[in-house]
Amino acid sequence: MLTGNDSLVTEFVLAGLTDLQELQLPLFHLCLMIYIVTIVGNFGLLTLIGLNSHLHTPMYYFLFNLSFIDLCYSSVFSPKMLMNFVSKRNAISYVGCMTQLFFFLFFVISECYMLTSMAYDRYVAICNPLLYRVTMSQQVCSALSLAAYVMGFVGAAAHTGCMLRLTFCNANVINHYLCDILPLLQLSCTSTYVNEVVVLVVVGINITVPSFTILTSYIFILTSILHIKSTHGRSKAFSTCSSHIIAISLFFGSAAFMYLKYSSPGSMDQGKISSVFYTNVVPMLNPLIYSLRNKDVKVALREVMTKIKKRDKL
């Protein structure tokens, strides 16, 4: 039976993170803990921002969207990844694999541009504080967020559309814990030249454009901070940016290492380890980074905890 794209493969098998049996159970518990922290942390941040009116500002609007993206895209692959550690054969249908690929890419690319929007927000807040409310109006924030999701959709559609044109013959074991671009290209029995060009162009754009925008924003931010005479003022300005710098360094660094290199089988094994950082670790760390290092979030969290304690006493 041939599938819709004349492929002989009707299902794929996910090889997982490692084939060492002694590591399966420890990795299952580790990844399960990471996933639980990711869900609780991001859902908690979504709830906290939604319930506290003083957090309804442009900065937290983008953070709300970032938490939503992290919550969704970690859920695209984590259940399958966890199953792989405890099952002998972790199969995924052809349609399921392509669906996972699309949504994974959609949320990852959307996160690239959401982080870029957050950098622009910090640039306006520090470099043009008097015009901040006017520049970062509700319409502008909505437009920037919508643009991030549109870029995510376009990028995911381009990659997935090119993947659907490929033919997969006998080999169906994906050397990864999710359906990603490079591992799938290695299984194709037809030319992947077009796909490789699309990867270079689309991934290049989605890393270069946000990285350049973020770098430019922070050059202006650093210049403005250095002109602040007050030590307290400089410290406060650096504090508002440090969380974002940590988040983008982890995300873009690991993503660039994964995609902007030669896709040989050996490098793919290294890529699996690298991808753990931007697929598992970054979504878990984002709510921790932005909450533990953010005074407003700490205050809002204390207020919520105080209200809960008062209700319990009643």
Side-chain angles (χ1 to χ4, degrees), residues 193-251:
Y193 176 76
V194 174
N195 297 71
E196 290 171 6
V197 171
V198 171
V199 169
L200 286 174
V201 173
V202 177
V203 174
I205 290 172
N206 290 330
I207 288 181
T208 305
V209 172
S211 297
F212 177 76
T213 306
I214 291 168
L215 181 62
T216 304
S217 297
Y218 274 103
I219 288 173
F220 283 110
I221 288 170
L222 184 61
T223 304
S224 296
I225 290 174
L226 293 175
H227 281 87
I228 298 174
K229 295 180 180 180
S230 167
T231 305
H232 175 72
R234 282 198 299 270
S235 177
K236 185 177 179 181
F238 272 122
S239 178
T240 60
C241 299
S242 59
S243 300
H244 189 242
I245 292 172
I246 294 169
I248 61 176
S249 299
L250 284 170
F251 183 81

Side-chain angles (χ1 to χ4, degrees), residues 4-17:
N5 75 331
D6 296 331
S7 171
L8 294 173
V9 171
T10 56
E11 69 172 17
F12 294 100
V13 176
L14 296 169
L17 190 59

Side-chain angles (χ1 to χ4, degrees), residues 9-279:
V9 171
T10 56
E11 69 172 17
F12 294 100
V13 176
L14 296 169
L17 190 59
T18 179
D19 56 358
L20 297 174
Q21 290 300 317
E22 62 271 19
L23 293 178
Q24 299 299 321
L25 200 57
L27 284 173
F28 170 78
H29 289 113
L30 176 62
C31 291
L32 179 61
M33 182 185 71
I34 290 174
Y35 184 51
I36 291 171
V37 173
T38 301
I39 295 298
V40 172
N42 284 289
F43 185 75
L45 202 53
L46 284 171
T47 306
L48 198 63
I49 294 171
L51 293 177
N52 286 269
S53 57
H54 69 276
L55 294 181
H56 294 173
T57 62
M59 175 181 172
Y60 294 105
Y61 172 78
F62 292 122
L63 185 54
F64 182 92
N65 279 276
L66 184 68
S67 291
F68 171 75
I69 291 170
D70 284 338
L71 186 67
C72 292
Y73 103 75
S74 62
S75 298
V76 167
F77 64 89
S78 290
K80 267 288 180 185
M81 183 183 185
L82 291 169
M83 282 177 62
N84 186 260
F85 291 123
V86 294
S87 60
K88 292 182 179 180
R89 187 174 181 273
N90 190 18
I92 183 170
S93 68
Y94 176 85
V95 174
C97 186
M98 293 301 125
T99 303
Q100 186 188 66
L101 175 68
F102 176 83
F103 283 105
F104 172 69
L105 293 172
F106 170 70
F107 288 118
V108 168
I109 296 171
S110 296
E111 176 146 346
C112 288
Y113 289 96
M114 200 60 68
L115 288 169
T116 306
S117 299
M118 292 173 76
Y120 177 70
D121 172 71
R122 291 300 83 207
Y123 158 73
V124 176
I126 293 173
C127 298
N128 298 292
L130 298 178
L131 298 174
Y132 181 67
R133 288 183 177 274
V134 177
T135 306
M136 299 305 295
S137 63
Q138 186 177 353
Q139 291 82 0
V140 171
C141 292
S142 299
L144 288 172
S145 295
L146 180 61
Y149 290 117
V150 168
M151 290 301 293
F153 178 82
V154 171
H159 285 302
T160 309
C162 286
M163 197 65 68
L164 289 169
R165 59 178 285 278
L166 296 179
T167 300
F168 298 94
C169 302
N170 297 321
N172 71 334
V173 179
I174 300 173
N175 185 22
H176 214 302
Y177 53 83
L178 56 85
C179 292
D180 204 356
I181 302 167
L182 301 182
L184 281 167
L185 292 183
Q186 291 181 345
L187 299 181
S188 175
C189 53
T190 51
S191 174
T192 60
Y193 176 76
V194 174
N195 297 71
E196 290 171 6
V197 171
V198 171
V199 169
L200 286 174
V201 173
V202 177
V203 174
I205 290 172
N206 290 330
I207 288 181
T208 305
V209 172
S211 297
F212 177 76
T213 306
I214 291 168
L215 181 62
T216 304
S217 297
Y218 274 103
I219 288 173
F220 283 110
I221 288 170
L222 184 61
T223 304
S224 296
I225 290 174
L226 293 175
H227 281 87
I228 298 174
K229 295 180 180 180
S230 167
T231 305
H232 175 72
R234 282 198 299 270
S235 177
K236 185 177 179 181
F238 272 122
S239 178
T240 60
C241 299
S242 59
S243 300
H244 189 242
I245 292 172
I246 294 169
I248 61 176
S249 299
L250 284 170
F251 183 81
F252 283 103
S254 56
F257 181 81
M258 175 64 189
Y259 289 103
L260 299 181
K261 60 184 178 60
Y262 182 69
S263 58
S264 64
S267 65
M268 189 57 60
D269 290 332
Q270 295 175 359
K272 282 198 291 185
I273 305 301
S274 172
S275 63
V276 168
F277 284 94
Y278 79 89
T279 59

